[in-house]
Amino acid sequence: MLGFSYLMGSALVLASVVSSTSILLPLYEWPTDNTTWAPVYEAAVVHPEIQFQVIVNPDSGPGDTQYPESEYVSAVAQLNTYSNVQVLGYIPTEYATRDISDVESDISTYSGWAKYKKQNITVDGIFFDEAPNTNDTSKISYMTEISKFARADNLTTIVFNPGTKLDDGSVNGYFDAADLIVEFENSYDTWITCVPADEFSAPDDYSKDAVLLYSAPLEANYDEVLQEAKQMGLGAAYLTNTDDYKNADSISKVASAMQLW
Ligand SMILES: *[C@@H]1O[C@H](CO)[C@@H](O)[C@H](O)[C@H]1NC(C)=O
Ligand SMILES: *[C@@H]1O[C@H](CO)[C@@H](O)[C@H](O)[C@H]1NC(C)=O
Ligand SMILES: *[C@@H]1O[C@H](CO)[C@@H](O)[C@H](O)[C@H]1NC(C)=O
Ligand SMILES: *[C@@H]1O[C@H](CO)[C@@H](O)[C@H](O)[C@H]1NC(C)=O
């Protein structure tokens, strides 16, 4: 009996860890000073049980220099002080048409941030934007290659953002290569009129699926969206009031709503 309830207990703990929904925050605003990203720091402190995956993006990628500018360094180092925050570097793939050596060079730049001595600007993973969703084997191979390249460079969390549902015949290939795939990036208005189950490939993969909604006014019903995302067991979610992720004004609202369910 004792053994049985012990096992039940572990299974429950495991299930709640696996099904938790994190916040995937595209943070594309330049940190002019240490107040710019303060709403993100505060949300991380107020909600220690929520996992934040924060996408940093100095210049539509890591930029041309070995390390980012000093204010960027300070802001990333501040993110790294929170154990519930993971930092992901933004890299576009232009739907797998970008020269793969340029993508790999960007990966190496982010990976190299771990060598910066004065502050900890280690990056934990990569957010590949403009990811393909088609079933061409060449595109699946491209994404698989850059994912392996990043993982070999200690960038262990890999996110693909096709922003739309994966084509039949590509689902296993892309999900094998990524930890998380954004199968729905669209406006809030589009989300509330869609049938969410039609927008993601397969329930088996929901825990590795993410939803990003833009143009969600701060008065919109964030609670309902996040309740649905959590009930589906999606891996990550975020809503922004902007259409370009150039502020983090909605982060406290997203985190509070995420906490509710
Ligand atoms: C933020 O900037 C102010 C003014 O430059 C400074 O006094 C403060 O220590 C900084 N805070 C952090 C957390 O770096
Ligand atoms: C730097 O930050 C990363 C990510 O938060 C963390 O895993 C690592 O332990 C930190 N390294 C040091 C030397 O503190
Ligand atoms: C990966 O991390 C380990 C441990 O911190 C380090 O020794 C190694 O050099 C890193 N590899 C790369 C490619 O950065
Ligand atoms: C590949 O995707 C196209 C477009 O959605 C679809 O018509 C085709 O059936 C898919 N091929 C396979 C092998 O699933």
Side-chain angles (χ1 to χ4, degrees), residues 18-33:
V18 168
S19 71
S20 67
T21 306
S22 62
I23 293 177
L24 179 67
L25 165 64
L27 185 59
Y28 301 162
E29 182 179 30
W30 186 266
T32 310
D33 59 36

Side-chain angles (χ1 to χ4, degrees), residues 111 115 152-154:
S111 157
K115 299 193 183 84
D153 253 359
N154 289 341

Side-chain angles (χ1 to χ4, degrees), residues 33-261:
D33 59 36
N34 66 16
T35 64
T36 318
W37 291 0
V40 182
Y41 309 149
E42 276 158 33
V45 170
V46 172
H47 301 282
E49 64 297 321
I50 296 177
Q51 179 72 25
F52 294 76
Q53 297 177 302
V54 177
I55 305 156
V56 300
N57 183 12
D59 189 16
S60 300
D64 295 336
T65 53
Q66 186 180 11
Y67 300 122
E69 289 177 51
S70 63
E71 64 261 39
Y72 214 96
V73 164
S74 301
V76 172
Q78 187 64 37
L79 289 176
N80 269 342
T81 64
Y82 309 108
S83 58
N84 56 329
V85 173
Q86 247 191 343
V87 175
L88 308 179
Y90 176 97
I91 297 179
T93 81
E94 296 165 9
Y95 307 95
T97 64
R98 195 172 163 217
D99 192 335
I100 204 160
S101 64
D102 291 339
V103 172
E104 291 177 350
S105 164
D106 283 352
I107 293 169
S108 299
T109 302
Y110 281 121
S111 157
W113 288 11
K115 299 193 183 84
Y116 190 77
K117 290 280 183 272
K118 286 178 235 156
Q119 296 190 73
N120 183 1
I121 56 168
T122 301
V123 173
D124 302 300
I126 298 292
F127 177 83
F128 290 110
D129 198 20
E130 299 171 355
N133 75 317
T134 58
N135 55 29
D136 316 40
T137 48
S138 64
K139 298 209 184 268
I140 297 170
S141 306
Y142 178 108
M143 297 307 291
T144 302
E145 179 177 336
I146 58 178
S147 168
K148 282 189 179 146
F149 189 93
R151 289 204 166 109
D153 253 359
N154 289 341
L155 299 163
T156 50
T157 300
I158 303 300
V159 185
F160 293 167
N161 181 24
T164 188
K165 191 175 178 175
L166 301 174
D167 271 350
D168 287 349
S170 74
V171 176
N172 291 342
Y174 289 126
F175 275 107
D176 281 350
D179 299 292
L180 193 64
I181 298 184
V182 183
E183 282 201 86
F184 193 94
E185 182 187 29
N186 215 311
S187 67
Y188 172 79
D189 284 349
T190 305
W191 173 265
I192 58 176
T193 55
C194 81
V195 177
D198 293 345
E199 306 295 335
F200 300 91
S201 295
D204 280 354
D205 295 319
Y206 283 174
S207 66
K208 294 177 71 181
D209 259 312
V211 55
L212 295 179
L213 301 185
Y214 51 80
S215 305
L218 293 172
E219 349 28 279
N221 197 341
Y222 281 40
D223 288 359
E224 195 171 275
V225 173
L226 293 165
Q227 181 182 19
E228 187 150 33
K230 290 190 85 167
Q231 281 172 349
M232 288 175 75
L234 296 184
Y238 185 65
L239 298 86
T240 176
N241 57 327
T242 69
D243 62 6
D244 60 5
Y245 307 105
K246 290 271 173 75
N247 74 42
D249 289 357
S250 60
I251 188 64
S252 72
K253 202 173 146 88
V254 170
S256 304
M258 190 71 96
Q259 180 98 59
L260 275 181
W261 313 105

